Amino acid sequence: MYKEMDKKYVLNTYPRNYVNFKQGSNATLFDDKGRDYIDFTAGIGVTSVGHGNARLANAIAEQASNLIHTSNLYLIEPQAKLAKKIAELYGEDVGTFFANSGAEANEGAIKLARKYGEKNFENKRYKVITLAHSFHGRTITTVKATGQKSFHKPDFSPYPDGFSYEQNIKDIYGSVNDETVAVMIELVQGEGGVQPFDKKDVQKLAAFLKEKDVLFIVDEVQTGVYRSGEFLATNLYGIKPDIITLAKGLAGGVPIGAVLTTHKDLFEVGDHGSTFGGNFLSTRAGLEVLNILESYKNSGELDESFIYFDSKLKEFALAYPKMFDEVVGLGLMRGLRCFDCVDLSKLIDSAFKEGVLVLKAGRNTLRFLPPLTITKNEINEGFKRLKNAFNKVN
Ligand SMILES: *Cc1c(COP(=O)(O)O)cnc(C)c1O
């Protein structure tokens, strides 16, 4: 019934599975028939503290019953608190602008970079270099910032000017010129195949960009908020970018985006804005998520889950040596690169039938983005079901 309703009234932009989820508990989802599923996707890296998290739900409910929104024309207490918390956890003196999504955060980052290019150079610099396998969002500008050619469909042209792509980090050096205002990369490419870059390569690039006065933008929409093991992957890589963007896991599923920058005076009043961005609801949720994850990290539980997931993932990959070439990623952003790939979608369908949700990235990567609070039992059960699924299709 709801399937027909959805098909009739909702625009058809997603390859949608018509399971009707009703409830969730940490990394477990329940559908309308009472079936349970282990969730290795966390809503594509969003439900960082799990489904049905009581602390988050209470914080949201309490906030909602007082105030949801007043606009950015007035002080928003949880917004100020969340911005302060972000700066403290990151450990740098950054200011934050709040948006509603990853793409919007990246738009904000690009605007900020262009302002830098206008203000600081006689001949305005405005060009942004990104990587070929990157993903930066779905708005018309962030689609153009995304390096994967398949996203630049002629259907939506013309696209904004000022973006170019390089295959690898080492190719960036030769392409920076006096029109380049910024380089934007993900430290671990998510949609592009769960591909982490080498720490030394990234640090070398950061030093080069600083020397050339070219801004370094790090898209941490997927890697941010403890997914890498540290608050930011930037912390893990030991770099200090000019601009960092966050979104997915930041408010546990309440829409939010954030632009962090050390250039705190670049945007002036009126330069940028958002009606919903940073409202009471989303920033209160963000604050609770950060409080939960901070203590989870400090107690050692987060690192323990990472080690356990890693061991189970490797054990699983080893059980199918003909299928999987490599275990990739870091923290709880992981992938299995399969060689001679059979239809990954078929595997994902079979996994669904066995009651475990997994994702695909790039052409040949089976992707795992579980809630950061996933338990050992849930990890065990998920891999058990995944084995059953694989045995059925192989
Ligand atoms: C998901 C993602 C985006 C886009 O975020 P939306 O909230 O869907 O706009 C941008 N960059 C990266 C790295 C992402 O993973």
Side-chain angles (χ1 to χ4, degrees):
M1 172 171 92
Y2 296 115
K3 178 176 175 176
E4 286 68 44
M5 193 187 287
D6 179 274
K7 280 188 173 294
K8 183 164 178 201
Y9 294 107
V10 178
L11 295 186
N12 180 33
T13 61
Y14 302 101
R16 186 163 276 171
N17 178 325
Y18 281 95
V19 60
N20 187 357
F21 291 124
K22 288 293 201 183
Q23 214 196 329
S25 170
N26 202 29
T28 310
L29 282 162
F30 302 90
D31 70 12
D32 57 349
K33 298 182 181 74
R35 280 200 62 194
D36 61 86
Y37 303 79
I38 299 297
D39 184 4
F40 280 166
T41 74
I44 320 190
V46 168
T47 54
S48 46
V49 297
H51 302 285
N53 184 295
R55 269 184 69 178
L56 178 59
N58 288 336
I60 290 171
E62 195 190 314
Q63 185 60 60
S65 64
N66 290 326
L67 277 174
I68 291 176
H69 182 97
T70 56
S71 92
N72 278 302
L73 298 176
Y74 310 102
L75 173 74
I76 300 167
E77 187 181 309
Q79 184 183 113
K81 285 180 174 164
L82 178 57
K84 177 170 184 265
K85 190 81 192 167
I86 286 171
E88 284 170 0
L89 291 175
Y90 173 32
E92 294 294 327
D93 183 21
V94 286
T96 296
F97 173 87
F98 290 100
N100 309 285
S101 67
E104 228 188 294
N106 287 337
E107 289 264 353
I110 293 162
K111 275 182 75 175
L112 196 60
R114 286 192 175 181
K115 173 113 196 223
Y116 187 84
E118 170 71 31
K119 241 180 116 166
N120 292 291
F121 305 98
E122 219 159 284
N123 295 317
K124 175 171 180 148
R125 294 185 181 181
Y126 69 99
K127 292 192 173 165
V128 177
I129 299 171
T130 69
L131 290 171
H133 296 285
S134 61
F135 180 77
H136 299 296
R138 295 289 205 152
T139 62
I140 206 106
T141 299
T142 56
V143 147
K144 189 66 192 302
T146 293
Q148 300 179 61
K149 284 279 175 325
S150 58
F151 283 90
H152 307 160
K153 286 188 185 165
D155 313 37
F156 310 114
S157 68
Y159 292 97
D161 185 20
F163 294 93
S164 64
Y165 320 103
E166 295 303 329
Q167 203 61 32
N168 284 304
I169 284 183
K170 65 173 169 35
D171 305 317
I172 292 174
Y173 297 99
S175 62
V176 166
N177 59 34
D178 60 9
E179 292 187 312
T180 311
V181 73
V183 167
M184 175 157 76
I185 67 166
E186 299 151 87
L187 295 174
V188 184
Q189 289 184 332
E191 310 302 314
V194 201
Q195 187 55 59
F197 289 108
D198 182 75
K199 189 171 169 178
K200 289 229 162 59
D201 290 347
V202 171
Q203 289 180 341
K204 196 177 142 205
L205 176 69
F208 170 80
L209 295 178
K210 185 135 275 159
E211 186 200 309
K212 296 279 176 200
D213 200 2
V214 169
L215 298 184
F216 192 14
I217 306 174
V218 174
D219 179 346
E220 290 227 38
V221 168
Q222 195 163 146
T223 53
V225 195
Y226 294 102
R227 183 132 312 261
S228 72
E230 298 300 328
F231 173 57
L232 300 180
T234 293
N235 295 115
L236 192 69
Y237 277 73
I239 51 170
K240 293 178 180 181
D242 297 279
I243 305 171
I244 298 166
T245 54
L246 299 177
K248 288 189 166 86
L250 181 56
V254 179
I256 195 167
V259 186
L260 288 51
T261 185
T262 48
H263 303 272
K264 292 168 75 169
D265 300 321
L266 202 46
F267 270 160
E268 294 165 280
V269 170
D271 275 348
H272 198 38
S274 165
T275 298
F276 292 120
N279 79 9
F280 281 88
L281 189 74
S282 62
T283 53
R284 179 66 189 89
L287 196 57
E288 198 64 22
V289 165
L290 294 191
N291 285 334
I292 294 168
L293 291 177
E294 183 188 20
S295 43
Y296 203 66
K297 166 79 182 170
N298 290 344
S299 70
E301 288 166 286
L302 185 70
D303 293 328
E304 215 177 289
S305 304
F306 282 14
I307 292 165
Y308 196 72
F309 195 90
D310 180 66
S311 71
K312 286 286 153 181
L313 184 68
K314 285 178 176 153
E315 188 183 305
F316 178 74
L318 280 175
Y320 302 93
K322 286 206 183 107
M323 174 121 195
F324 298 115
D325 182 13
E326 210 186 342
V327 180
V328 290
L330 48 82
L332 278 180
M333 185 173 175
R334 306 303 304 267
L336 294 175
R337 209 49 62 69
C338 61
F339 34 9
D340 195 23
C341 234
V342 258
D343 193 348
L344 260 188
S345 310
K346 217 169 79 185
L347 289 176
I348 293 169
D349 284 348
S350 172
F352 173 78
K353 289 196 186 92
E354 293 298 317
V356 56
L357 309 181
V358 281
L359 295 162
K360 188 178 159 178
R363 259 178 317 104
N364 60 348
T365 308
L366 190 66
R367 179 161 62 139
F368 302 81
L369 285 171
L372 302 176
T373 51
I374 191 167
T375 63
K376 284 183 183 171
N377 280 342
E378 287 170 325
I379 295 171
N380 289 341
E381 186 60 29
F383 281 107
K384 192 174 104 192
R385 293 179 186 193
L386 212 49
K387 274 187 184 153
N388 292 339
F390 276 45
N391 293 338
K392 279 188 184 160
V393 291
N394 278 311

